[in-house]
């Protein structure tokens, strides 16, 4: 991080004094800077002449005495409050009276660091994100003592460096880490409980949410010791929120020296310390196909028109014969009234390797090998009634799958006489089944209940592979993987807005520019729909009863007011793209 910050300033035309505490540490920092700039030249992002000019603006020195005449100091030492306070006391003594002292802390109290000096009005937080030369965001943290002139000077400097600054007050985790590390910690808890494997967790969040890295791979990059210190600090300073209480496995791995890439092993094993190349270990999934999959040639897709259009196209594009069956739950007449529960019209066969038919009744599903029920907004009893009917109609051995993202799959399975052949196939991601097309190969959460057979799971894996997608196997728990990790993070963002800590735009900027997310939390909420987000969050809270998972009151109020996102023209942003303030009367 220190070398990255040096590079940022030198790239921006600023003369930099790069200081370390020993000659060996200084040489490591110099080597890191040299590798980074050489790599930029190789990739065409920097000319050789610009690299040489950049390096010429850097003076390397051992010891704090070299900082006596600088205008600004930024420290990037380990996340230990005692260490930083001692350092700032020394800097206060050494640096000239007008110098600004900045900390790159990602979680510690800037105020507690500032009061270790005789110039607290000139102490500020400048939190860069790794890798600093690439990530555009800088969180500027002002304390109650930081002068306005210092804040304005640092904001102007960020603009000169080509960075986007978000200015906030001093609180645990600031914006990005307060939202990011609760999510990362929860991912570790999933892995620790063996709810889902490490590759499946990472694949689910990369492919289901478009994130640049999965949570466990990201923790390895950050360093598990660093992550543990950040979580510990946020837990102590942030009201002892259990989402920030480090999962025991994290502490055990740190104690064992499994720190991630820096040590050569963390959640994954690497080619060596500092390497980014993952090598197989005893947890790496076998590439050998799982035996026991049943043959699937004909697929039935039933549900609302919006959901089944995309699903039918995906299955037909993969070569399956497909029966598409529109179904509206409010028209269902229950058992014995099947003809009223589905759309009308004759059978329609599409051209191509795979076929698609439109059936007039559930009887059209009698000879399929797999039924995928995508029932939008169906309550549990309605879905159970549908599966009871499917159980009567479908042939023995046919799999029955639900795409639900909120209902317990076991409750649906037990409405049939074949619970071993019932599982979830949740096409994960904000768009859900309605957003699928033949060109989109989704991540599919294969949800196995305690009654699902190994044959059923193997068959689902084979189907996902045939679709060209990634199958992620998890157990039957509220939210599965993607929703269970995504929506609490979104809920945390709403709570942050509700507390008036920051704005919609700044929170979105922080997650997009600081963490590389494709969309900020409020952009995502408006896209998904606030009513859907509320339903998912309620299901998580109802099952887990964790206070931190209770839906944010602001989210409930917006849904009650009919502000549901893009579909209604207003959510956290109005049609003019003006963000909702989050305050009463806003």
């Amino acid at each position: 991080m220190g070398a990255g910050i040096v590079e940022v300033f030198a790239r921006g035309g600023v003369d930099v004094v790069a200081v370390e505490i020993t000659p060996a540490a200084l040489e490591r920092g110099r080597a890191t800077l040299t590798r980074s700039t050489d790599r930029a030249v190789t990739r065409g992002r920097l000319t050789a002449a610009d690299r040489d000019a950049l390096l010429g603006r850097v003076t390397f020195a051992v010891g704090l005495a070299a900082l006596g005449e600088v205008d600004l100091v930024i420290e990037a030492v380990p996340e230990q409050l005692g260490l930083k306070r001692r350092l700032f006391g020394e800097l206060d003594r050494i640096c000239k009276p007008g110098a600004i002292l900045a900390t790159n802390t990602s979680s510690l109290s800037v105020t507690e660091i500032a009061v270790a000096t005789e110039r607290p009005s000139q102490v500020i937080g400048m939190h860069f994100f790794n890798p600093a030369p690439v990530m555009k965001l800088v969180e500027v943290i002002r304390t109650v003592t930081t002068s306005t002139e210092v804040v304005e000077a640092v904001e102007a400097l960020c603009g000169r460096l080509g960075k986007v600054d978000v200015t906030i007050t001093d609180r645990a985790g600031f914006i990005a880490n307060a939202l990011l590390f609760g999510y990362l910690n929860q991912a570790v808890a999933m892995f620790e409980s063996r709810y889902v494997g490490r590759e499946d967790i990472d694949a689910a969040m990369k492919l289901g949410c478009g994130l640049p890295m999965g949570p466990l791979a990201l923790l390895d990059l950050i360093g598990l010791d660093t992550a543990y210190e950040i979580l510990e600090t946020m837990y102590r300073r942030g009201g002892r929120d259990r989402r920030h209480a480090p999962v025991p496995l994290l502490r055990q791995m740190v104690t064992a020296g499994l720190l991630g890439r820096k040590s050569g092993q963390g959640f994954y094993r690497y080619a060596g310390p500092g390497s980014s190349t993952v090598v197989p270990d005893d947890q790496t999934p076998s590439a050998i196909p799982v035996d026991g999959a049943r043959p699937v040639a004909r697929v039935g897709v039933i549900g609302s028109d919006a959901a089944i259009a995309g699903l039918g196209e995906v299955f037909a594009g993969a070569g399956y014969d497909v029966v598409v069956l529109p179904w509206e739950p409010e028209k269902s007449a229950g058992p014995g009234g099947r003809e009223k529960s589905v759309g009308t019209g004759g059978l329609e066969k599409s051209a191509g390797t795979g076929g698609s038919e439109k059936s007039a009744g559930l009887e059209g599903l009698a000879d399929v090998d797999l039924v995928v029920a995508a029932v939008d907004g169906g309550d549990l009893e309605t879905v159970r009634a549908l599966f009871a009917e499917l159980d009567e109609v479908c042939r023995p051995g046919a799999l029955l799958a639900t795409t639900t993202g909120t209902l317990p799959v076991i409750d649906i399975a037990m409405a049939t006489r074949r619970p071993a052949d019932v599982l979830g196939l949740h096409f994960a991601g904000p768009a859900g089944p309605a957003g699928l097309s033949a060109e989109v190969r989704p991540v599919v959460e294969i949800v196995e209940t305690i009654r699902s057979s190994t044959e059923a799971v193997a068959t689902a894996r084979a189907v996902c592979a045939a679709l060209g997608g990634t199958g992620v196997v998890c157990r039957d728990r509220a939210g599965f993987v993607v929703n269970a990790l995504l929506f609490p993070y979104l809920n945390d963002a709403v709570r942050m807005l509700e507390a008036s800590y920051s704005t919609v735009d700044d929170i979105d900027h922080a997650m997009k520019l600081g963490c590389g997310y494709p969309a900020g939390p409020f952009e995502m909420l408006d896209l998904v729909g606030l009513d859907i987000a509320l339903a998912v969050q309620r299901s998580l809270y109802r099952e887990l009863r964790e206070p931190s998972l209770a839906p944010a009151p602001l989210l409930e109020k917006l849904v009650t007011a009919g502000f549901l996102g893009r579909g209604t023209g207003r959510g956290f942003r109005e049609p003019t793209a003006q963000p909702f303030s989050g305050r009463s009367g806003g």
Side-chain angles (χ1 to χ4, degrees):
M1 178 58 79
I5 295 173
V6 167
E7 184 176 341
V8 167
F9 280 89
R11 276 180 183 252
V14 180
D15 291 333
V16 187
V17 180
V19 170
E20 260 293 0
I21 57 173
T22 66
L26 188 68
E27 287 308 309
R28 287 196 298 270
R30 190 200 301 264
T32 300
L33 178 62
T34 301
R35 283 195 304 271
S36 177
T37 52
D38 286 349
R39 188 164 53 245
V41 171
T42 301
R43 295 176 178 176
R45 296 173 182 170
L46 201 65
T47 67
D50 287 340
R51 174 200 57 197
D52 294 342
L54 182 160
L55 295 175
R57 285 190 283 270
V58 182
T59 300
F60 295 91
V62 175
L64 299 180
L67 300 174
E69 295 302 316
V70 300
D71 302 307
L72 166 70
V73 177
I74 302 176
E75 64 79 15
V77 303
E79 286 287 279
Q80 300 168 21
L81 181 60
L83 173 61
K84 289 182 186 284
R85 283 172 57 86
R86 289 194 301 274
L87 173 61
F88 271 70
E90 284 293 300
L91 292 172
D92 185 38
R93 182 179 59 82
I94 291 169
C95 295
K96 64 185 182 182
I100 297 171
L101 308 182
T103 171
N104 184 55
T105 182
S106 56
S107 60
L108 297 173
S109 169
V110 179
T111 305
E112 291 187 50
I113 295 170
V115 296
T117 75
E118 297 296 325
R119 61 178 93 185
S121 64
Q122 293 167 231
V123 178
I124 195 167
M126 289 185 71
H127 179 217
F128 289 80
F129 290 79
N130 198 22
V134 176
M135 306 306 285
K136 300 290 287 184
L137 181 74
V138 177
E139 289 179 321
V140 176
I141 302 96
R142 63 173 183 267
T143 74
V144 292
T145 62
T146 308
S147 73
T148 300
E149 291 78 12
V150 167
V151 173
E152 291 174 349
V154 169
E155 289 174 337
L157 179 60
C158 289
R160 178 181 169 187
L161 298 174
K163 299 294 185 181
V164 176
D165 66 276
V166 171
T167 301
I168 48 181
T169 56
D170 186 21
R171 69 169 252 183
F174 315 133
I175 296 176
N177 281 355
L179 296 179
L180 175 65
F181 277 85
Y183 150 72
L184 296 177
N185 198 42
Q186 188 181 358
V188 177
M190 276 189 176
F191 176 69
E192 180 184 50
S193 66
R194 305 195 181 194
Y195 172 68
V196 63
R198 65 182 182 189
E199 281 87 357
D200 281 352
I201 292 176
D202 283 353
M205 299 313 292
K206 285 179 63 179
L207 302 176
C209 295
L211 303 185
M213 297 182 74
L216 302 184
L218 178 56
L219 280 163
D220 276 358
L221 173 63
I222 293 169
L224 273 61
D225 51 344
T226 301
Y228 181 81
E229 290 295 335
I230 290 171
L231 284 166
E232 271 284 294
T233 300
M234 288 196 297
Y235 178 69
R236 291 194 306 268
R237 291 186 58 216
R240 300 192 179 272
D241 184 341
R242 284 180 56 82
R243 278 176 59 73
H244 293 143
V247 172
L249 176 62
L250 196 58
R251 180 186 60 78
Q252 294 162 14
M253 293 179 72
V254 171
T255 302
L258 306 177
L259 308 182
R261 290 189 186 182
K262 66 174 74 174
S263 67
Q265 186 170 353
F267 289 102
Y268 295 88
R269 179 171 292 167
Y270 299 89
S275 172
S276 62
T277 302
V278 177
V279 297
D281 60 14
D282 56 1
Q283 295 184 53
T284 304
S286 171
I288 302 173
V290 179
D291 292 332
R294 301 172 190 169
V296 174
R298 190 169 172 82
V299 178
V301 179
I302 180 170
S304 67
D305 286 332
I308 63 177
L311 282 173
E313 185 180 357
V314 166
F315 279 102
Y320 291 103
D321 288 329
V322 184
V323 179
V324 178
L325 193 64
W327 186 85
E328 296 296 336
E330 63 270 21
K331 298 179 183 179
S332 176
R338 287 194 292 270
E339 293 296 326
K340 295 182 180 180
S341 68
V342 298
T344 58
L347 295 177
E348 298 174 3
K349 182 80 173 179
S350 71
T353 305
S356 177
E357 300 175 357
K358 197 175 204 177
S359 175
L362 290 185
E363 287 77 7
L365 302 176
D367 62 345
V368 300
D369 305 304
L370 166 67
V371 175
V372 179
V375 184
D376 287 343
D379 63 86
L380 179 58
E381 290 309 313
T382 300
V383 177
R384 279 173 54 87
L386 170 62
F387 270 71
E389 294 184 70
L390 291 171
D391 185 37
E392 293 180 18
V393 170
C394 296
R395 65 171 184 80
L399 296 187
L400 308 182
T402 171
T403 66
T404 183
T406 56
L407 300 177
V409 179
I410 187 61
D411 285 13
I412 298 169
M414 295 310 294
T416 74
R417 293 167 294 182
R418 61 175 91 186
D421 291 338
V422 179
L423 41 68
L425 286 179
H426 182 231
F427 291 77
L436 296 176
S437 69
E439 289 74 35
V440 176
R441 299 309 182 189
V443 59
V444 185
E445 292 172 317
I446 301 169
V447 186
E448 58 176 339
T449 74
I450 58 174
R451 295 290 298 270
S452 299
S453 68
T454 55
E455 275 190 351
V457 174
T459 303
R461 281 183 179 274
V463 168
C464 291
L467 294 178
T470 299
V472 171
V473 178
C474 61
R475 298 202 295 270
D476 183 21
R477 195 182 80 175
F480 312 137
V481 179
V482 174
N483 285 355
L485 292 176
L486 172 65
F487 283 92
Y489 148 74
L490 299 177
N491 195 54
D492 287 346
V494 179
R495 289 186 182 279
M496 185 177 284
L497 175 68
E498 192 172 46
S500 298
Y501 178 64
S502 191
T503 66
V504 166
D505 285 339
D506 280 354
I507 293 171
D508 276 356
H509 281 320
M511 300 313 294
K512 289 166 65 178
L513 302 179
C515 299
Y517 282 19
F522 297 108
E523 290 177 293
M524 189 167 288
L525 280 162
D526 280 353
L527 173 63
V528 171
L530 275 62
D531 52 338
I532 294 174
L534 180 59
V536 173
Q537 197 63 34
R538 280 174 172 168
S539 72
L540 293 170
Y541 178 63
R542 186 167 52 246
E543 179 167 316
L544 301 175
R545 300 296 180 181
E546 174 59 52
S548 62
L549 295 179
L554 176 58
L555 181 61
E556 294 185 314
K557 290 174 183 176
L558 289 173
V559 171
T560 301
F563 299 152
L564 308 183
R566 292 188 187 180
T568 60
R570 178 173 176 181
F572 285 97
R573 287 182 171 84
E574 298 183 29
T576 57
Q578 292 298 315
F580 180 72
S581 70
R583 299 180 177 88
S584 59

